[in-house]
Amino acid sequence: MNRIAPMGRLLAVAAAASLALTACGGETADQTASTAPSTATSAAASTEASSAPAAKGDGTLTIGTVLPQTGSLAFLGPPEFAGVDQAVKEINEAGGVLGKPVTKVHTDSGDTTTNIASQSVDKLLGQKADAIIGAASSSVSESIIDKITGAGVVQFSPANTSDKFTTIEDNGLYFRTAPPDKLQGRVLGDLIAADGNDTVGILAMQDSYGSGLADQITKTAEAAGASVVERVDYDPKAAEFSADVAKIKAANPKAVVLIGFEEGAKVVAELVKQGLSADKVKWYMVDGNMSNTNYLKMPKGTLKGVKGTIPGAEAPEEFREKLKKLDPKLDDFTYAAESYDAANLIALAAEAAKDDSGTSIAGKLAEVSGGGEKCKSFKECVDLLKAGKDIDYDGISGPVEFDAAGDPAVATIGVYQYGDDNKYASKALEYRTGKIEG
């Protein structure tokens, strides 16, 4: 790790290719169906999926979404829907895919306390979706991956970070633009130690996301000389968290890591109540609870100085302005770029395959994301494809390129810091990682 002088945003850029990762009816293109706006994908599995005879598509690319309109990650829904909407708008303005407008169908993923995601997938499969973008929650994606990929449809998440997806059984049809938690955990663990914290407490939600991140943060922080003096894996559906926070308080750590979703606001309130406020103990968060809306009702300055990680490059201002035209209420852009890139990559893969079926799209996703002539928009890339050239789509979220498991081979982690208004700043310090092994 190289620590760079403070200058803007805390950025972590890692070549994940160098990581040895072992384990974050009939609607038109402008309509939505909702009320709101890999054991493992291995190289062999991907090859099998791409080389197997694929059922031909119907000639119209249909992209469905299973993203949170309700539930514990509902704050992530608006930027993700906006990212997909912007991509489909630009794709159709450029002539669509295979000469026809792309159809999009939005549905709700809910969270793991409901069966909404499964019902949404049934709806999308009934409407002949060729690819489904979602879910945001890793646990929700786990619950629907068999149904989606078993139907020969691509599942493409803009936000899943659980390490499980690197080795999950998916018939070569699962992809993501968000890097695995092993990378986010390493960045945050290094940051905690670099900030001078030699004792750390961890409060993590009980699921694959929380446990995976907690494990990696512990490993990295302890390798850097810190000690995790207490770890509490809590039930995110609990009514209150006083006993969980009390265990952390008893261990008297210098830093507390919070790994969760929307319930994080209750955890924060309990930390303050028990005297572990952010001005006395350093708090660190992750993408699941980094929010510009979840903490606004708290007293001014409650989160001042709190740092947290979000996978992906910061969305540029021009891109944000485009999304605000679609949704003027947008105040959070987390995973908007990843959603935008997912839709573009699906469309480009269908063009490259000259077919819109899920298996054909999956067989071309790695090809259109690396190794050819670089291009940065659907129109630029599709013009190159039509000219008979190989392409390398570099997206808003970063230089997207897939490894054999459908994971990003190159990844960016942003590290942000909260201000006095209980919102995280778009820019903080600069923090970079170089080559990471193991």
Side-chain angles (χ1 to χ4, degrees), residues 3 10 188 191 195 256 282-286 289-290 303-309 415-418 428-429:
R3 188 65 186 263
L10 276 153
L188 191 54
L191 177 63
D195 282 349
V256 176
K282 293 180 181 177
W283 297 353
Y284 296 85
M285 293 183 171
V286 292
N289 52 24
M290 289 288 288
L303 272 74
K304 185 176 181 180
V306 175
K307 295 177 183 177
T309 47
V415 184
Y416 298 82
Q417 186 166 319
Y418 278 87
L429 306 174

Side-chain angles (χ1 to χ4, degrees), residues 367-420:
E367 182 178 309
V368 299
S369 67
E373 187 171 336
K374 289 191 177 295
C375 49
K376 295 185 177 182
S377 69
F378 175 81
K379 186 178 189 319
E380 181 185 1
C381 292
V382 80
D383 285 348
L384 289 172
L385 284 174
K386 290 177 178 178
K389 296 183 179 180
D390 291 332
I391 64 168
D392 179 358
Y393 174 80
D394 280 358
I396 299 290
S397 66
V400 184
E401 185 173 329
F402 297 111
D403 63 17
D407 288 341
V410 179
T412 302
I413 305 291
V415 184
Y416 298 82
Q417 186 166 319
Y418 278 87
D420 200 48

Side-chain angles (χ1 to χ4, degrees), residues 1 21 35-36 57 75 105 111 126 131-132 146 177 218 280 285 309 317 319 325 337 369 378 411 425 431:
M1 178 191 73
L21 295 179
T35 57
F75 73 92
V105 185
D111 58 27
I132 294 176
D146 289 346
T177 36
T218 298
K280 297 177 181 177
M285 293 183 171
T309 47
E317 187 60 33
F319 179 65
K325 290 179 181 178
S369 67
F378 175 81
Y431 176 92

Side-chain angles (χ1 to χ4, degrees), residues 77-425:
E80 291 172 337
F81 283 116
V84 174
D85 287 346
Q86 181 62 34
V88 171
K89 177 176 180 290
E90 293 175 10
I91 291 165
N92 287 338
E93 287 174 349
V97 172
L98 305 175
K100 295 181 180 180
V102 172
T103 296
K104 68 169 189 258
V105 185
H106 288 327
T107 68
D108 184 17
S109 66
D111 58 27
T112 54
T113 66
T114 70
N115 194 40
I116 291 173
S118 181
Q119 295 171 8
S120 292
V121 170
D122 289 340
K123 182 175 187 177
L124 292 174
L125 294 180
Q127 296 196 26
K128 298 182 179 180
D130 303 297
I132 294 176
I133 296 176
S137 161
S138 292
S139 293
V140 172
S141 280
E142 274 191 81
S143 73
I144 57 177
I145 189 170
D146 289 346
K147 183 176 286 190
I148 296 173
T149 60
V153 172
V154 167
Q155 181 176 357
F156 199 137
S157 176
N160 288 166
T161 57
S162 171
D163 294 317
K164 282 190 176 182
F165 292 103
T166 299
T167 57
I168 202 166
E169 183 65 51
D170 65 359
N171 300 317
L173 292 169
Y174 176 87
F175 296 80
R176 54 179 165 180
T177 36
D181 282 328
K182 269 196 178 297
L183 181 55
Q184 183 179 190
R186 288 171 184 172
V187 171
L188 191 54
D190 274 339
L191 177 63
I192 291 165
D195 282 349
N197 302 295
D198 56 6
T199 55
V200 182
I202 298 177
L203 281 159
M205 66 187 296
Q206 284 178 329
D207 76 346
S208 59
Y209 170 76
S211 297
L213 263 175
D215 289 345
Q216 186 59 58
I217 291 167
T218 298
K219 181 179 177 181
T220 303
E222 291 189 338
S227 176
V228 175
V229 293
E230 183 63 73
R231 170 175 164 177
V232 179
D233 288 23
Y234 65 82
D235 178 2
K237 298 185 289 294
E240 53 89 32
F241 302 94
S242 58
D244 301 311
V245 171
K247 292 178 183 178
I248 297 294
K249 182 178 180 179
N252 194 31
K254 290 182 180 178
V256 176
V257 183
L258 308 176
I259 305 172
F261 293 158
E262 189 178 46
E263 81 290 342
K266 293 182 180 179
V267 177
V268 164
E270 189 62 38
L271 285 167
V272 173
K273 182 179 178 181
Q274 296 196 28
L276 299 178
S277 55
D279 60 342
K280 297 177 181 177
V281 179
K282 293 180 181 177
W283 297 353
Y284 296 85
M285 293 183 171
V286 292
D287 59 308
N289 52 24
M290 289 288 288
S291 171
N292 276 335
T293 59
N294 204 25
Y295 312 105
L296 295 183
K297 293 182 180 179
M298 294 183 172
K300 186 177 180 180
T302 298
L303 272 74
K304 185 176 181 180
V306 175
K307 295 177 183 177
T309 47
I310 300 176
E314 183 181 8
E317 187 60 33
E318 181 182 1
F319 179 65
R320 294 180 182 222
E321 290 304 317
K322 288 181 180 179
L323 299 191
K324 284 182 179 179
K325 290 179 181 178
L326 294 176
D327 183 357
K329 295 181 180 179
L330 270 185
D331 190 37
D332 195 321
F333 298 88
T334 305
Y335 294 121
E338 285 79 3
S339 301
Y340 173 87
D341 288 342
N344 276 326
L345 284 161
I346 289 166
L348 290 169
E351 275 284 349
K354 295 181 172 56
D355 181 54
D356 61 288
S357 69
T359 49
S360 294
I361 291 168
K364 290 293 185 178
L365 277 169
E367 182 178 309
V368 299
S369 67
E373 187 171 336
K374 289 191 177 295
C375 49
K376 295 185 177 182
S377 69
F378 175 81
K379 186 178 189 319
E380 181 185 1
C381 292
V382 80
D383 285 348
L384 289 172
L385 284 174
K386 290 177 178 178
K389 296 183 179 180
D390 291 332
I391 64 168
D392 179 358
Y393 174 80
D394 280 358
I396 299 290
S397 66
V400 184
E401 185 173 329
F402 297 111
D403 63 17
D407 288 341
V410 179
T412 302
I413 305 291
V415 184
Y416 298 82
Q417 186 166 319
Y418 278 87
D420 200 48
D421 58 356
N422 295 330
K423 293 184 178 183
Y424 60 83

